[in-house]
Amino acid sequence: MYEFIIIGGGITGVTLGRLLQMSGVNNFIILEAESEAGGLCRTKLIDGHYLDIGGGHFLCTKYPQVYDFIFSHIPKEEFNFFDRVSKIRVEGEIIDYPIESNLWQLSTEKQIDYLISAIQAGDFTGVKEPCNYEEWINWKLGNKIASSYMIPYNKKIWGVEPNELDIDWLHKIPSVKTREILESCLNKLSDRRKMPSHNGFYYPKMGGFQTIFDVIYKNVVDRVMLNEKVIDLEYRDNYWLVNCEYKAKKVINTAPWNHLYKALNVPASLEDCFERLKNNSIVVSLWEQEYNHDWHWCYDPDLSLEYHREFFIHNFAPHSLSTGMYTETNLTRWPGSETSWSNGKKPIFEHINSVAYPVPVVGHSKAISSILEYYERQNLFGVGRWGQWQYFNSDVCILEAMKFIKAKVL
């Protein structure tokens, strides 16, 4: 019988395995449904282009212990460091991200429209805070920023209507007050400290983001069982039986909970909670085109375009060919592999991530809390982006793995 079975061989699952190993616990296995581990952290070399097939992944964290963990596996000298350069295309103009701090880069007439809207926002005028995203973003930043950027962009990325989204994930976007918006326009200067994440980031000098995954994975590779989709999870007398074969005292789930619905034979009391868990699917498309700027990525809220974000690979991976760039597109907006895009072209390679982000629909927090509380009583735990059903970047997935080991093992 194993001490632990970890479901999922992505960055969270492999980090958990490595941390167990470092804590002296070797009686565990990792079950990975696919033919290779790595999940959203994989990289493919396509015709000289290093493509992170899970979309934009960069090493940046505010948690020193995460850096310590990673740099104990791969020297810091094997990374380049970049000050983030990200742009927004809005109403035919290009400005720096975030939009709230960089309205001064717009033409004067547009600045006036946005500033009038900002000082009429509910947050500035004392209106009570709403509880869904569409109303909240109008309340916080005014209807001009909301209607021209925030609402269409989030509609594109999440694939649901903005009024279906909760507001408990908004720590991911900058917290800028109306006064600060006005000051940035008057001073024609933005405050980089208002970046929500990735103000600066590390990226491997060789390969892609998978380089980070691989240096952790190589330590636990002999504990990973590939092509092992979990189809049956049965709790017996103080142990779990997985796929009618593997026994464990404890199970740690890092895979999407909705993928385990049938395996768990979910009780009626949790059916609504599982129904509340929604995820989107993102298509990563590789293109070849010339570019002569230093941007790392660019956000585009234009609903007439399929994609919502572009990445310029050579600008953060100079060892990759200079013409490589990729786009992220919600699967519901993807034209398909046989159809030309609105630009009249087809990408040279595409990868579909069927599970990309947990969608923060209204009620999802209560739903995942109920699921975690129920199964923790039976020693089945959830960790990471999918286990905790939160929009965690890879650094936070590593952090959550650390917190779990400290709480449940050490």
Side-chain angles (χ1 to χ4, degrees):
M1 181 180 294
Y2 294 104
E3 190 70 27
F4 289 94
I5 288 177
I6 300 167
I7 300 174
I11 189 68
T12 306
V14 166
T15 298
L16 282 163
R18 179 61 176 145
L19 291 169
L20 284 172
Q21 200 176 59
M22 293 169 69
S23 302
V25 179
N26 291 289
N27 187 22
F28 68 90
I29 55 172
I30 301 172
L31 304 182
E32 168 54 47
E34 296 194 38
S35 59
E36 61 179 342
L40 294 170
C41 294
R42 290 175 289 173
T43 304
K44 290 189 180 297
L45 178 59
I46 310 293
D47 298 338
H49 305 287
Y50 285 93
L51 176 67
D52 292 329
I53 62 173
H57 277 74
F58 305 91
L59 176 56
C60 174
T61 187
K62 61 183 179 180
Y63 305 104
Q65 62 267 46
V66 173
Y67 279 138
D68 291 343
F69 175 76
I70 292 174
F71 294 145
S72 71
H73 289 81
I74 179 173
K76 187 176 180 180
E77 292 72 28
E78 294 188 24
F79 293 82
N80 288 316
F81 182 81
F82 300 92
D83 290 322
R84 169 178 173 170
V85 181
S86 56
K87 303 288 183 175
I88 302 170
R89 287 193 181 93
V90 59
E91 295 194 90
E93 300 186 30
I94 296 173
I95 65 173
D96 287 321
Y97 175 93
I99 188 172
E100 307 93 300
S101 299
N102 293 289
L103 294 176
W104 59 272
Q105 297 176 9
L106 291 169
S107 58
T108 301
E109 286 302 314
K110 285 192 172 70
Q111 283 186 53
I112 293 170
D113 291 341
Y114 279 89
L115 291 175
I116 289 173
S117 173
I119 62 176
Q120 292 174 342
D123 184 31
F124 190 65
T125 59
V127 175
K128 182 180 178 181
E129 182 177 11
C131 57
N132 75 60
Y133 176 78
E134 182 173 21
E135 295 176 356
W136 187 91
I137 206 67
N138 278 281
W139 170 86
K140 180 66 177 177
L141 298 174
N143 57 20
K144 187 62 176 172
I145 291 177
S147 63
S148 64
Y149 174 57
M150 291 294 193
I151 289 177
Y153 182 82
N154 281 280
K155 186 174 182 178
K156 289 175 77 173
I157 187 173
W158 297 116
V160 300
E161 293 300 320
N163 62 7
E164 298 178 55
L165 297 172
D166 214 327
I167 62 172
D168 58 358
W169 58 281
L170 295 175
H171 61 278
K172 299 286 292 187
I173 65 173
S175 177
V176 179
K177 297 183 182 300
T178 304
R179 182 183 182 87
E180 294 170 335
I181 295 174
L182 297 174
E183 286 177 346
S184 69
C185 282
L186 291 171
N187 296 328
K188 298 190 180 301
L189 183 67
S190 57
D191 185 351
R192 289 186 64 86
R193 294 173 300 176
K194 294 300 178 181
M195 288 276 195
S197 61
H198 300 325
N199 190 7
F201 62 87
Y202 294 92
Y203 197 83
K205 290 181 178 179
M206 297 299 294
F209 194 82
Q210 185 175 337
T211 299
I212 299 171
F213 175 85
D214 285 346
V215 296
I216 303 169
Y217 180 59
K218 70 179 183 180
N219 297 282
V220 297
V221 63
D222 61 336
R223 314 305 301 162
V224 178
M225 307 186 73
L226 301 174
N227 298 304
E228 193 66 59
K229 181 180 179 180
V230 174
I231 58 174
D232 189 75
L233 265 170
E234 182 183 353
Y235 187 62
R236 294 191 171 182
D237 296 328
N238 295 316
Y239 73 91
W240 282 93
L241 180 63
V242 184
N243 288 352
C244 303
E245 182 177 357
Y246 310 108
K247 296 179 181 179
K249 296 177 182 178
K250 298 175 182 178
V251 173
I252 312 172
N253 178 43
T254 72
W257 281 98
N258 48 11
H259 288 192
L260 299 180
Y261 178 79
K262 291 183 179 179
L264 281 167
N265 191 21
V266 171
S269 61
L270 288 179
E271 286 182 357
D272 288 344
C273 295
F274 273 81
E275 180 64 26
R276 183 60 57 180
L277 301 184
K278 307 292 183 184
N279 66 268
N280 66 2
S281 302
I282 297 293
V283 182
V284 173
S285 306
L286 176 64
W287 308 80
E288 287 186 328
Q289 69 176 50
E290 299 288 342
Y291 47 90
N292 296 304
H293 54 66
D294 62 350
W295 311 351
H296 297 124
W297 59 88
C298 180
Y299 305 90
D300 202 318
D302 186 349
L303 291 171
S304 70
L305 298 176
E306 297 90 345
Y307 60 86
H308 54 267
R309 193 158 52 148
E310 300 170 294
F311 294 84
F312 303 93
I313 304 172
H314 185 71
N315 290 346
F316 53 82
H319 54 284
S320 191
L321 287 184
S322 62
T323 55
M325 57 88 65
Y326 67 88
T327 54
E328 292 178 339
T329 307
N330 189 289
L331 184 61
T332 61
R333 301 179 58 82
W334 180 53
S337 59
E338 303 300 322
T339 306
S340 294
W341 290 48
S342 58
N343 61 9
K345 301 177 182 179
K346 292 182 181 180
I348 64 173
F349 177 85
E350 293 185 291
H351 179 81
I352 299 174
N353 296 287
S354 58
V355 285
Y357 305 127
V359 180
V361 294
V362 173
H364 79 286
S365 293
K366 183 178 180 181
I368 190 60
S369 293
S370 297
I371 291 168
L372 292 173
E373 289 172 8
Y374 178 87
Y375 285 110
E376 282 181 13
R377 294 194 291 269
Q378 300 172 24
N379 284 325
L380 169 56
F381 307 93
V383 180
R385 173 178 289 196
W386 300 112
Q388 292 165 267
W389 211 263
Q390 293 193 49
Y391 183 9
F392 289 154
N393 288 335
S394 56
D395 67 305
V396 181
C397 290
I398 292 172
L399 178 74
E400 291 299 321
M402 291 177 167
K403 289 162 63 175
F404 177 86
I405 296 298
K406 183 177 181 180
K408 303 296 183 181
V409 178
L410 299 180

